[in-house]
Amino acid sequence: MGLIVQKFGGSSVADADRIRNVARIITETYKRGHNVVAVLSAQGDTTDDLIAKAAEINPHASKREMDMLLSTGEQISCSLCAMAVEAMGIPVVSLTGWQAGVQSNSSYGNARINRIVTERILTELDRRCIVIVTGFQGINKYGDITTLGRGGSDTSAVALAASLHADLCQIYTDVDGVYTADPRLVPGAHKLDEITFDEMLELATLGAQVLHNRSVEMAKRYNVNLEVLSSFSGKPGTRVKEVVKIMEKSHVSGIAKDKNVARLALVGLADEPGIAFRIFSLLAREKINVDIILQSIGRGDKKDISFTVAKSDAGEATRILEENREYIGFDHIDVNDKIAKVSIVGAGMINNPGVASSMFEALFNAGINIHMISTSEIKVSVLVDLDDADRAVQVVHNKFFGEVELQSAL
């Protein structure tokens, strides 16, 4: 008998029938002799609906009150699921984040988990109860409810699995596992049996929406046995682990796309030491994350620096830089939010020359222009026009996985 943490996303609990299906999966695991802790997200679009309701009342509501409101979505899905399990005659208890002992910092709207006091959960498990916990939320030192940011239920599940020393953490979603690209958008995308933590972290950070990047980071840190699978198909999923058997054979494991990107270019900067520090320290002070950075070769006494931020941060970043134009010293800012980032990820890339050039060749043959390039040991990212993003993912996927698909069909 082991302890299994199972997380179910919003699409898995979207209506009464799907909640009953989740209850069936949980109880079947329980009946096999396992202790079960289930972590649930809010139903379907509940969180978006609650945000819209708040905007009707106060478009500038405090983050504390927004957390108070948004936490109710997970409570609804958890209590309803507990009722479904009750109807099956299985002992069950639903707990809010604070009842489950999830203690966080006070960054309302995007809190980080500090620790989990597992006493209440362990007590319920000793009574042979299924424990259903609200994802996405915790409590801070002031006794206020906090939320962990979008995708935070994944992080809740992994944190619980780490704290409880669970044998397995299963993340149930609406796809069968981790694919080489989004199977809903890319014909020919195929499921991976396993993928490394590092690859999954890159894919999650670069736009793949299967797992929240913070959950992958935590799973790697605490070596959580992690699996991504479908709550609808019943098929085996994708294991996320430190080392995979096929790592040496595979150059590229997946392709991700991120449309939440804006590029800012500071034109006419002085070609002197300290300019980059002035720019990025100002943005860091306001907690604006910067991704791809490109600095031109100085010509005369001038140079340009281009970088990307989340599209939602573009306005704030522009305001900060404009307010400090004299301190930084630049001619003007060019902002482009009609772009997207397309990335390839693979642990085998570092030992296989030519992977980047193959990606560039695919984009060239499709007539897709590259604006910026960023590389690391296991990923290559490019910025392309937003209108070209979907086609870019498809042609790059065809370049790396087309022959595999053809061989498997023969």
Side-chain angles (χ1 to χ4, degrees):
M1 181 177 74
L3 171 58
I4 298 179
V5 175
Q6 298 178 322
K7 180 265 176 179
F8 298 89
S11 60
S12 297
V13 293
D15 55 37
D17 287 339
R18 292 189 176 187
I19 286 176
R20 292 189 187 97
N21 179 57
V22 167
R24 178 190 58 78
I25 294 171
I26 293 170
T27 54
E28 285 180 354
T29 305
Y30 176 88
K31 289 175 181 178
R32 290 197 295 270
H34 299 293
N35 285 320
V36 181
V37 176
V39 178
L40 270 56
S41 298
Q43 291 181 278
D45 297 324
T46 298
T47 301
D48 290 334
D49 293 340
L50 290 171
I51 292 172
K53 288 181 184 296
E56 291 177 6
I57 303 298
N58 180 2
H60 306 291
S62 68
K63 290 184 178 181
R64 181 200 180 277
E65 295 306 325
M66 287 300 296
D67 279 6
M68 187 74 170
L69 174 67
L70 298 183
S71 65
T72 62
E74 280 69 26
Q75 289 179 230
I76 292 170
S77 57
C78 283
S79 58
L80 290 174
C81 188
M83 293 175 192
V85 174
E86 274 183 339
M88 298 176 180
I90 304 294
V92 61
V93 61
S94 64
L95 302 174
T96 63
W98 66 266
Q99 288 175 316
V102 181
Q103 299 180 359
S104 77
N105 64 16
S106 297
S107 298
Y108 299 105
N110 196 29
R112 296 295 193 269
I113 296 173
N114 290 332
R115 64 193 292 253
I116 299 179
V117 180
T118 58
E119 183 179 353
R120 175 67 187 276
I121 295 177
L122 292 173
T123 298
E124 299 295 348
L125 292 175
D126 286 342
R127 295 172 51 223
R128 281 297 287 154
C129 280
I130 290 173
V131 180
I132 302 178
V133 180
T134 55
F136 176 63
Q137 62 181 250
I139 190 168
N140 66 16
K141 63 182 180 180
Y142 305 110
D144 290 341
I145 294 173
T146 57
T147 63
L148 308 181
R150 285 302 179 116
S153 291
D154 289 351
T155 304
S156 298
V158 172
L160 283 166
S163 298
L164 293 165
H165 305 290
D167 298 281
L168 176 63
C169 181
Q170 296 178 310
I171 306 294
Y172 283 88
T173 181
D174 55 0
V175 293
D176 292 334
V178 181
Y179 278 70
T180 50
D182 189 336
R184 294 163 293 196
L185 301 175
V186 180
H190 64 266
K191 184 173 70 71
L192 302 170
D193 293 329
E194 51 187 15
I195 188 171
T196 68
F197 285 124
D198 288 338
E199 289 173 318
M200 190 66 247
L201 181 58
E202 286 284 6
L203 286 171
T205 302
L206 294 167
Q209 298 177 350
V210 179
L211 281 174
H212 193 237
N213 59 346
R214 280 164 54 194
S215 71
V216 182
E217 191 174 29
M218 187 178 294
K220 175 180 171 62
R221 186 185 310 145
Y222 295 102
N223 198 29
V224 173
N225 190 10
L226 191 61
E227 181 183 17
V228 181
L229 66 170
S230 171
S231 57
F232 307 120
S233 70
K235 296 178 181 178
T238 301
R239 294 280 184 150
V240 187
K241 53 205 296 190
E242 189 65 41
V243 179
V244 301
K245 296 177 182 177
I246 61 171
M247 185 186 300
E248 291 292 338
K249 302 177 184 178
S250 177
H251 300 174
V252 176
S253 294
I255 300 165
K257 173 187 65 182
D258 185 1
K259 293 185 176 182
N260 181 31
V261 179
R263 189 217 69 209
L264 278 66
L266 274 67
V267 180
L269 292 158
D271 189 11
E272 62 185 33
I275 295 296
F277 168 73
R278 295 178 198 173
I279 295 168
F280 298 114
S281 63
L282 287 168
L283 298 177
R285 194 178 304 159
E286 300 300 322
K287 294 182 169 52
I288 295 176
N289 288 323
V290 175
D291 186 17
I292 301 174
I293 302 173
L294 177 65
Q295 177 174 299
S296 67
I297 298 174
R299 298 187 183 279
D301 59 349
K302 296 289 186 179
K303 64 182 176 183
D304 306 331
I305 292 180
S306 300
F307 58 91
T308 61
V309 298
K311 192 175 293 187
S312 56
D313 288 332
E316 180 71 2
T318 302
R319 180 190 64 78
I320 292 167
L321 296 172
E322 286 285 8
E323 288 178 354
N324 291 274
R325 179 192 289 260
E326 186 174 340
Y327 168 66
I328 299 170
F330 59 89
D331 293 339
H332 68 273
I333 300 177
D334 179 65
V335 180
N336 182 1
D337 62 1
K338 303 298 182 184
I339 58 172
K341 179 169 59 178
V342 175
S343 308
I344 57 173
V345 174
M349 287 169 50
I350 186 173
N351 296 316
N352 289 278
V355 174
S357 66
S358 294
M359 179 185 191
F360 303 153
E361 180 185 17
L363 295 171
F364 166 72
N365 290 337
I368 297 172
N369 188 39
I370 298 172
H371 297 295
M372 293 175 70
I373 301 170
S374 173
T375 66
S376 74
E377 291 182 343
I378 66 170
K379 65 102 173 171
V380 178
S381 295
V382 298
L383 291 186
V384 299
D385 289 335
L386 185 61
D387 291 341
D388 290 332
D390 293 342
R391 191 161 57 94
V393 173
Q394 186 66 69
V395 299
V396 172
H397 189 275
N398 289 347
K399 182 69 175 178
F400 290 104
F401 299 103
E403 292 183 6
V404 174
E405 290 298 315
L406 180 61
Q407 290 171 1
S408 63
L410 294 177

